[in-house]
Amino acid sequence: MDERIKSNLKELDELIKLKEEKADLKEKITKAKIHNFKNFNVRNLKVFTKTINLLSPFLVTSGLIIGIFKFLGLGYPFKSDKINKYKLYSMDYRPNGYVTMEEEYTVDSVPDNTLIMYTPWEFEDGEYVRYKREYKIGKLDSMNLINAVLKKDYETIINTLNKFNEEKQIINKINPENGNDYTFEANLYYKDENDIKKLYESTKDNIYKTILELLVIILTNLIVYRIFNYKKVYSNEIHEINNDYHNSCIKTESIQESLDSVNKKILFLTKGDRNNE
């Protein structure tokens, strides 16, 4: 057989083997990329999960703080809340007969009701005796008690209120010019929850409220994260996840170098580089 024919057949056989090797190397690179891509997605999912875990205390704490502010009537941040103002009747009654009555719409809580009644002086065994009764009053559900005090309706008060602390007072003589009757000392409040004014808080109030809530949220979370060292735990977990990801990846550099070498050999055989030597 002619030597040139033998040489051509040898080169053809070598070219076939090189192309088979090239196909095998490309398949390895493709499989490695698929494997690495899957591991990359797993790594991202783990990082996302750990990030959510890191943010969970912040979200829970922030939600609780916002809920507490809402419960206290301060509303939500970044939003002009609708405010219900209720009609509040206030009465201040002094023992000297001085009385003030006020009416206003307010969102404030109702102050505690106080009522002290002094009974008339009575002469007993050479002394004058009277009783100071401090009544225990809860939330008023009507204007009845306020009206009774204004009208000096002692019977209604005595018959309606039966819980009080009593103090006996004794003096040697009284001044007839001061009179001798039941007297009161009272601060009474009645909120009419059927009489409502619906308003929206001002932009200024909303800004102040939002700043206050954000400051409380930030300060609280700084304390919580410092106590439980969440940041350090998170950093260590992310470092471990990244290490696992890099260790599980298939390196393709050496495979790519082999592929480049095979391509050069194929190019040499198919484009006649050898003839140019």
Side-chain angles (χ1 to χ4, degrees):
M1 182 181 293
D2 186 82
E3 290 298 326
R4 184 173 180 80
I5 295 175
K6 288 182 178 180
S7 177
N8 289 339
L9 289 174
K10 184 178 179 181
E11 290 178 1
L12 180 61
D13 183 60
E14 185 179 357
L15 184 60
I16 291 172
K17 290 180 179 180
L18 287 172
K19 288 186 175 181
E20 289 177 351
E21 185 179 357
K22 176 180 178 179
D24 182 60
L25 291 172
K26 290 180 69 175
E27 184 179 359
K28 287 181 179 180
I29 291 175
T30 299
K31 288 182 178 179
K33 288 182 177 179
I34 293 173
H35 173 81
N36 293 344
F37 181 72
K38 288 181 178 178
N39 284 354
F40 179 71
N41 288 333
V42 171
R43 175 257 182 199
N44 287 346
L45 181 60
K46 289 181 178 179
V47 170
F48 176 76
T49 302
K50 295 301 181 182
T51 303
I52 292 298
N53 290 339
L54 175 69
L55 294 176
S56 293
F58 173 80
L59 296 175
V60 172
T61 304
S62 301
L64 287 174
I65 292 172
I66 292 173
I68 292 172
F69 270 73
K70 177 64 176 177
F71 177 77
L72 295 176
L74 297 176
Y76 296 111
F78 307 108
K79 175 187 175 184
S80 292
D81 297 286
K82 184 181 290 186
I83 301 173
N84 289 336
K85 288 192 173 185
Y86 299 93
K87 186 68 167 290
L88 179 66
Y89 298 87
S90 306
M91 183 189 71
D92 182 13
Y93 196 107
R94 301 291 95 196
N96 59 6
Y98 175 78
V99 182
T100 59
M101 281 289 301
E102 295 181 358
E103 299 178 11
E104 63 175 329
Y105 288 92
T106 181
V107 296
D108 297 332
S109 58
V110 180
D112 293 332
N113 290 297
T114 60
L115 173 61
I116 298 174
M117 184 173 70
Y118 299 89
T119 63
W121 292 104
E122 295 183 2
F123 189 74
E124 296 180 3
D125 300 325
E127 297 174 321
Y128 289 93
V129 177
R130 75 173 181 183
Y131 293 91
K132 175 185 176 183
R133 293 175 179 172
E134 186 173 349
Y135 289 92
K136 298 179 180 180
I137 306 171
K139 177 182 175 182
L140 298 184
D141 55 9
S142 70
M143 289 286 291
N144 291 342
L145 182 60
I146 293 177
N147 291 331
V149 173
L150 288 173
K151 295 176 182 178
K152 298 182 179 181
D153 187 353
Y154 312 116
E155 290 187 5
T156 296
I157 296 171
I158 293 172
N159 293 331
T160 303
L161 304 176
N162 50 25
K163 292 182 179 181
F164 55 85
N165 294 322
E166 189 172 73
E167 175 189 335
K168 185 177 182 180
Q169 297 181 338
I170 301 174
I171 58 176
N172 293 325
K173 62 179 181 179
I174 61 175
N175 186 351
E177 294 181 359
N178 293 334
N180 188 23
D181 203 346
Y182 286 94
T183 57
F184 293 109
E185 182 177 346
N187 289 106
L188 299 176
Y189 307 90
Y190 167 60
K191 183 168 71 174
D192 188 352
E193 296 185 352
N194 294 318
D195 193 344
I196 306 172
K197 274 189 177 180
K198 295 186 177 182
L199 307 170
Y200 282 93
E201 67 180 350
S202 67
T203 301
K204 180 179 178 181
D205 288 342
N206 180 256
I207 291 173
Y208 286 151
K209 178 193 67 180
T210 298
I211 292 173
L212 175 62
E213 291 193 39
L214 289 178
L215 288 175
V216 173
I217 288 171
I218 292 171
L219 179 61
T220 302
N221 279 287
L222 285 175
I223 295 172
V224 170
Y225 276 73
R226 178 174 290 274
I227 291 174
F228 294 100
N229 211 6
Y230 286 121
K231 185 177 180 180
K232 184 177 181 180
V233 173
Y234 174 76
S235 179
N236 292 337
E237 290 175 338
I238 296 302
H239 180 72
E240 183 178 348
I241 289 171
N242 285 329
N243 282 341
D244 290 342
Y245 164 67
H246 290 299
N247 291 334
S248 67
C249 284
I250 299 175
K251 309 301 181 184
T252 61
E253 289 82 0
S254 61
I255 303 176
Q256 185 63 50
E257 288 177 0
S258 298
L259 180 60
D260 292 341
S261 177
V262 170
N263 283 332
K264 288 180 180 179
K265 291 178 181 179
I266 292 173
L267 184 64
F268 176 78
L269 292 174
T270 56
K271 293 193 175 182
D273 287 356
R274 196 178 68 174
N275 295 329
N276 295 327
E277 292 179 341

